[in-house]
């Protein structure tokens, strides 16, 4: 057994990341707290990049250091998740437009959508100014984009 956590895998253009709901992810009702969905979506986006060979640490340490900020994060809650649920975070990178990455995500349980996210991430210089993504990032993500 590997001591490395899974970064998930691909199903067509979608990256799938399994996550388990733990006690810390829930609110006093036993349902997943709304902010936990944001963390699950972040893991999906990060592990998509990790799976295509782009790690956040490498982006920061590169000769053209860069990071990401979110310009928009629109969530639609459909059904609740509960403690011990096995979920799938489905992530699809749609397009790169200038400094922006357009991303669609959904959290599923047993194939049923529980929460949807429309995300616009922006590539930035470390001083916060927008910048175009590195060539390496574009090359790694381009085969997975669903819009051209």
């Amino acid at each position: 057994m590997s001591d490395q956590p899974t970064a998930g895998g691909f199903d067509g253009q979608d990256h799938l990341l399994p996550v388990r709901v733990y006690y810390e992810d829930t609110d006093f009702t036993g349902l997943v707290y709304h902010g936990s969905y944001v963390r699950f979506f972040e893991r999906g986006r990060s592990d998509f990049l990790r799976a295509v060979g782009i790690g956040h640490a490498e982006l920061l340490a590169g000769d053209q250091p860069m990071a990401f900020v979110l310009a928009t994060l629109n969530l639609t809650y459909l059904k609740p998740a509960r403690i011990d649920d096995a979920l799938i975070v489905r992530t699809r990178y749609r397009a790169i437009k200038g400094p922006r990455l357009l991303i669609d995500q959904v959290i599923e349980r047993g194939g049923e959508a529980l929460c949807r996210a429309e995300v616009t991430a922006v590539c930035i210089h470390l001083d916060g100014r927008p910048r175009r993504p590195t060539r390496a990032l574009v090359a790694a993500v381009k085969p997975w984009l669903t819009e051209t």
Side-chain angles (χ1 to χ4, degrees), residues 30-57:
L31 301 177
V32 170
Y33 176 67
H34 70 274
S36 295
Y37 292 95
V38 174
R39 288 195 313 274
F40 297 156
F41 284 133
E42 173 64 33
R43 292 175 197 168
R45 292 188 305 275
S46 293
D47 280 336
F48 171 100
L49 291 175
R50 185 173 289 110
V52 300
I54 302 291
H56 287 289

Side-chain angles (χ1 to χ4, degrees), residues 3-4 12 19-20 34 40-41 47 49 53 57 77 80 84 93 95 101-102 104 111 113 125 129 138-141 145:
D3 63 350
Q4 294 297 309
V19 296
R20 173 77 59 190
H34 70 274
F40 297 156
F41 284 133
D47 280 336
L49 291 175
Y77 298 96
D84 291 331
Y93 277 63
L101 289 85
L102 307 180
D104 291 329
H125 293 278
R129 291 178 297 120
V138 171
V141 172
L145 299 177

Side-chain angles (χ1 to χ4, degrees), residues 83-132:
I83 194 164
D84 291 331
D85 279 355
L87 307 176
I88 296 291
V89 180
R90 183 177 294 271
T91 302
R92 179 177 288 187
Y93 277 63
R94 279 195 349 252
I96 297 175
K97 296 187 177 191
R100 297 174 295 135
L101 289 85
L102 307 180
I103 307 158
D104 291 329
Q105 295 184 277
V106 63
I107 292 175
E108 302 173 345
R109 180 185 54 223
E112 181 178 34
L114 304 181
C115 186
R116 294 186 186 282
E118 294 177 8
V119 182
T120 302
V122 177
C123 299
I124 61 167
H125 293 278
L126 297 186
D127 65 3
R129 291 178 297 120
R131 59 156 299 165
R132 291 194 178 274

Side-chain angles (χ1 to χ4, degrees), residues 53-71:
I54 302 291
H56 287 289
E58 291 82 10
L59 290 174
L60 287 172
D63 61 345
Q64 301 175 50
M66 64 166 284
F68 299 101
V69 294
L70 294 189

